[in-house]
Amino acid sequence: MDLRQLAAEIEPISSRYADKLGIERDDTWFLLKLQEEVGELTQAFLMRSGRARTKGRTADELDAGFREELADVLCHVILMAHHHGVDLEAEVARKWLAWKR
C-alpha cells in the first residue's frame, strides 16, 4: 500500500468528519486525536487479552475491535504526517529500513 495514496484517500474523510462536527483540525487536534485513538487501542487490547472487562463482547467482536483500533491509529499517524508535510515512506526508509542487512 502506498502511504501517499492512502493519505490522499483518508484526508477528505477526516476533513468531512471535522467539518460536520465543527472541529478545527489544527496541530493540537492531530496530536490529541492520535492520543485518543492510542487510548482506544489500549482499551481494545486490554479487553481482548482478558485484562479489562469485555462489556459482553464475544471473542470475535473483541478481535474485530482490536483490528479496527489498529487501523484508526495507523490512519491518524498518516493524517498527522500529511498535515505536517512529513513523507512517512522516506522517514521509515531512513529510520528503520537503513538497518536491513
Side-chain angles (χ1 to χ4, degrees):
M1 179 178 293
D2 180 284
L3 294 181
R4 283 182 223 110
Q5 178 62 35
L6 183 56
E9 291 183 38
I10 64 176
E11 173 59 33
I13 296 165
S14 177
S15 182
R16 279 194 311 270
Y17 166 85
D19 288 346
K20 183 177 179 179
L21 297 175
I23 295 169
E24 179 186 351
R25 295 183 321 145
D26 60 6
D27 292 353
T28 301
W29 181 85
F30 281 97
L31 179 62
L32 293 178
K33 188 64 178 174
L34 175 58
Q35 183 64 42
E36 176 188 21
E37 295 301 340
V38 170
E40 291 174 6
L41 174 60
T42 302
Q43 181 182 34
F45 172 81
L46 291 172
M47 291 168 66
R48 184 175 177 252
S49 66
R51 295 182 181 108
R53 60 190 174 92
T54 62
K55 301 179 183 179
R57 295 182 184 144
T58 66
D60 287 344
E61 290 169 331
L62 294 173
D63 284 345
F66 178 69
R67 292 189 308 269
E68 290 169 0
E69 295 306 333
L70 280 169
D72 284 349
V73 168
L74 175 63
C75 286
H76 280 283
V77 166
I78 292 168
L79 286 167
M80 187 172 185
H82 179 76
H83 174 75
H84 289 283
V86 174
D87 181 344
L88 278 179
E89 289 181 1
E91 291 305 315
V92 168
R94 184 188 64 75
K95 175 82 179 189
W96 285 85
L97 300 182
W99 294 99
K100 285 175 43 176
R101 294 180 187 244

